[in-house]
């Protein structure tokens, strides 16, 4: 696998079309999934997706295998491109403000019970609740739960300390719980 990755990177550095197509084939769906969880409109997500790969092709020489896997490096680009897009294209979506949530009153056990409940109704509530999170919160929840990235990987992607990511995950999970209870 390491040889295959090194060969792919060499091809990308030489701007070989086959290598670019292979990168898209290997990681395109993963990147698009991450982008589309942050950028809500399909057309906008497609635009950001293209920007991610243009940037990856342009900056492949700066990729450092010792810092992160190629998938994680691409996720970092996707995360930042998606947030930049959302910041510059002010989304009209209203997000729940943290000041509206009394985090001290919400137990981790209650949150875990809701988050791990896999019935269809809870899943639909969770999907609706995600729409009320900020793009940054959606990204972190998406990376942790949907992409199954570790806190260390999320830390690299977001350029944030692992302890901060842990706190943000806890806080955002409680916020989701609060939103779900409001929706019900």
């Amino acid at each position: 696998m390491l040889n295959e990755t090194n060969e792919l990177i060499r091809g990308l550095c030489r701007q070989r079309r086959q290598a670019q197509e292979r990168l898209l084939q290997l990681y395109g769906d993963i990147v698009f999934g991450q982008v589309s969880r942050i950028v809500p409109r399909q057309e906008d997500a497609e635009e950001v997706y293209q920007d991610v790969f243009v940037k990856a092709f342009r900056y492949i020489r700066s990729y450092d295998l010792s810092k992160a896997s190629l998938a994680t490096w691409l996720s970092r680009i996707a995360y930042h491109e998606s947030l930049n897009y959302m910041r510059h294209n002010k989304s009209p979506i209203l997000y729940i403000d943290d000041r509206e949530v009394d985090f001290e009153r919400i137990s981790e056990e209650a949150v875990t019970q809701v988050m791990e409940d896999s019935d269809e109704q809870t899943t639909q509530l969770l999907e609706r609740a995600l729409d009320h999170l900020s793009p940054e919160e959606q990204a972190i929840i998406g990376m942790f739960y949907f992409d199954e990235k570790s806190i260390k990987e999320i830390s690299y992607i977001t350029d944030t300390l692992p302890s901060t990511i842990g706190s943000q995950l806890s806080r955002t999970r409680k916020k989701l719980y609060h939103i779900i209870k409001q929706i019900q």
Side-chain angles (χ1 to χ4, degrees), residues 13-173:
C13 287
R14 293 181 183 129
Q15 299 178 343
R16 301 272 192 254
R17 184 158 181 79
Q18 274 184 304
Q20 292 173 341
E21 289 172 358
R22 181 70 178 147
L23 186 72
L24 288 167
Q25 181 183 44
L26 289 172
Y27 301 106
D29 290 344
I30 294 167
V31 169
F32 189 76
Q34 183 178 357
V35 168
S36 63
R37 282 194 301 273
I38 300 171
V39 180
R41 286 193 38 220
Q42 176 82 16
E43 301 83 21
D44 298 337
E46 290 170 0
E47 181 181 326
V48 172
Y49 168 83
Q50 290 175 357
D51 292 344
V52 169
F53 282 100
V54 166
K55 196 168 218 173
F57 297 150
R58 184 178 301 141
Y59 294 106
I60 190 64
R61 285 183 174 82
S62 69
Y63 168 65
D64 184 350
L65 181 61
S66 68
K67 289 185 179 178
S69 70
L70 190 53
T72 301
W73 183 74
L74 287 168
S75 289
R76 181 181 178 125
I77 296 169
Y79 171 80
H80 289 286
E81 286 297 305
S82 297
L83 290 184
N84 285 339
Y85 181 87
M86 294 300 289
R87 284 186 194 113
H88 290 96
N89 297 285
K90 301 288 186 203
S91 178
I93 299 169
L94 296 176
Y95 305 111
I96 300 292
D97 190 343
D98 280 357
R99 293 172 291 197
E100 296 178 23
V101 183
D102 184 0
F103 292 104
E104 298 300 318
R105 297 189 66 203
I106 301 173
S107 73
E108 279 296 331
E109 294 78 28
V111 172
T112 299
Q113 185 177 5
V114 168
M115 296 295 277
E116 292 179 359
D117 190 352
S118 60
D119 74 7
E120 189 174 325
Q121 181 183 8
T122 304
T123 302
Q124 288 175 350
L125 284 170
L126 188 55
E127 287 173 2
R128 284 179 53 202
L130 284 169
D131 290 339
H132 296 284
L133 297 178
S134 71
E136 291 88 349
E137 292 166 329
Q138 288 177 12
I140 290 171
I141 288 291
M143 285 186 274
F144 189 76
Y145 287 104
F146 300 116
D147 301 336
E148 298 180 351
K149 297 214 179 286
S150 69
I151 288 177
K152 183 179 177 183
E153 288 173 308
I154 298 170
S155 171
Y156 171 80
I157 291 166
T158 61
D159 201 23
T160 308
L161 293 173
S163 58
T164 303
I165 295 299
S167 297
Q168 288 175 338
L169 270 171
S170 175
R171 192 171 185 87
T172 303
R173 284 168 35 98

